[in-house]
Amino acid sequence: MSQPDQTPGPPPRPPTRTPRRRRLRLAANLLLAVVCGAWLCPGLGWIPDLLANLGPQCALAALLLGLYRVARKRWAPAAVAAACALLGLLGPALQSRAARAAAPGNVRILFVNAAASNPRAGALLQSIRAANADVVVVVETPSDLLGPLRDDQELRAQLPYAWLPEAAGVGYTAVLSRWPQHGGDALSGGASQTLAAGVRAMRVDRPGAPFALLVLHPRSPRSPARWREGNALVEHALQVVDDRLAPSGLPLVAAGDLNSAPAGWRSRHLAARAGLRRAKPLWTPAGTWPSWSRWPMRVAIDDLLVAPTIGVVSWRALPAPGSDHSAVLVELAIPTP
């Protein structure tokens, strides 16, 4: 009786990936590409704009995923993740930035979102004084800060020009300056005429080199409705630029908490329509919100946008005691118009 053949056969093949697993991997890669490429179309809606504002953070997540895939020796998926990370970084990298400058006779502008419920108004006032700025813009001014901004002798000796009411509700915007402020349709009225339905538009009479200043603070995009309201305020601000500021021929500076990073819709739309450029240098590793976090998990939503003829000498994010935003101190080279 013959014995059965005991010769070992070829090793079994590893199980192939099921079609369902392949579809899931493809869907995950497509989702990663959509998230990292949302900056290509932020104006389509609330979600694309939120993702566009978080472009660097999405790129970082894609990069970490790529490193994990490399560790697992999954080379093709790792390459996809790396490509998505690069796509996410292109969003902020391709936005127009102000030119660097080192010209004398600069203007120092401090922008602060003070947070209306700020419990440390005294410490914030001290930081504003210490900045030694030529123009100070404060949005969401808390009631405890409004009086000191008006009455503090040291600050007002430094910044004597402003229009501050005796009392103001939450969200009041204060602008103090070393030089006179002029508002109204012809930019010839007093500082009280710089208000323009939710924004401030003014001529700052710096001796020999005046400039136009626009201050705006669109609502944060916490919901689709607030996103639309904030976009509407940006449109209104652009109309103010067309009607009041552009006819003056003065170099324009826009300061605000845009609630928009450089790749976000509001920032790009304002820059494109008004011919402005973001002041924050691309390679400066800093953000302004939330102040309790650390870069890169902070978003640069507080900033200046400036005319192409204006150069940026320095840009710094500074602590703003009691606020969930960092302040921004920017030194500008503003030419004679």
Side-chain angles (χ1 to χ4, degrees):
M1 185 175 179
S2 62
Q3 297 293 327
D5 187 5
Q6 300 295 327
T7 305
R13 293 182 178 180
T16 59
R17 293 174 182 162
T18 63
R20 183 170 179 271
R21 288 185 64 188
R22 286 198 297 268
R23 288 195 296 269
L24 287 175
R25 291 183 184 277
L26 177 61
N29 288 332
L30 287 176
L31 178 61
L32 188 64
V34 168
V35 167
C36 292
W39 62 270
L40 293 168
C41 51
L44 289 181
W46 177 51
I47 296 298
D49 195 19
L50 287 180
L51 294 174
N53 282 298
L54 297 173
Q57 289 75 23
C58 294
L60 177 60
L63 182 60
L64 293 175
L65 177 61
L67 293 175
Y68 169 77
R69 288 174 171 177
V70 167
R72 297 287 301 274
K73 297 183 179 181
R74 292 162 51 191
W75 309 116
V80 171
C84 290
L86 178 61
L87 178 63
L89 291 175
L90 282 177
L94 292 178
Q95 307 313 312
S96 59
R97 307 281 176 155
R100 300 304 300 268
N106 303 312
V107 177
R108 291 163 59 90
I109 299 180
L110 177 71
F111 178 84
V112 187
N113 183 327
S117 59
N118 193 318
R120 303 182 60 195
L124 182 57
L125 177 66
Q126 292 180 11
S127 68
I128 291 174
R129 284 199 303 248
N132 191 30
D134 301 307
V135 178
V136 172
V137 179
V138 184
V139 300
E140 291 196 25
T141 309
S143 57
D144 291 344
L145 183 62
L146 187 61
L149 288 178
R150 184 181 57 247
D151 303 329
D152 184 83
Q153 294 183 0
E154 181 181 347
L155 182 66
R156 296 315 305 274
Q158 175 186 340
L159 303 168
Y161 297 98
W163 182 77
L164 297 168
E166 292 299 320
V170 173
Y172 182 80
T173 297
V175 183
L176 296 87
S177 59
R178 192 179 301 275
W179 309 292
Q181 305 172 14
H182 296 291
D185 292 340
L187 301 182
S188 58
S192 62
Q193 297 185 39
T194 62
L195 288 170
V199 302
R200 276 185 175 269
M202 68 186 71
R203 169 193 174 108
V204 180
D205 261 334
R206 178 188 176 213
F211 59 94
L213 177 64
L214 173 74
V215 179
L216 68 162
H217 182 200
R219 301 192 74 182
S220 60
R222 300 176 188 173
S223 68
R226 290 171 65 98
W227 178 75
R228 289 189 293 268
E229 290 174 14
N231 292 350
L233 181 66
V234 172
E235 293 292 349
H236 168 65
L238 287 167
Q239 191 62 50
V240 171
V241 170
D242 292 341
D243 295 342
R244 291 194 185 189
L245 302 180
S248 71
L250 297 173
L252 175 60
V253 177
D257 170 8
L258 300 176
N259 280 298
S260 177
W265 169 246
R266 294 174 184 175
S267 175
R268 292 165 62 177
H269 184 54
L270 179 63
R273 276 272 283 104
L276 303 176
R277 298 177 179 179
R278 287 287 293 245
K280 180 183 179 298
L282 174 62
W283 302 113
T284 298
T288 60
W289 180 89
S291 60
W292 48 262
S293 183
R294 291 184 176 274
W295 189 86
M297 304 313 295
R298 297 173 72 175
V299 187
I301 59 178
D302 307 87
D303 202 0
L304 306 184
L305 288 86
V306 301
T309 57
I310 297 176
V312 174
V313 179
S314 63
W315 189 102
R316 287 190 291 157
L318 302 177
S323 175
D324 58 342
H325 290 248
S326 294
V328 173
L329 179 62
V330 187
E331 190 170 1
L332 301 175
I334 301 181
T336 302

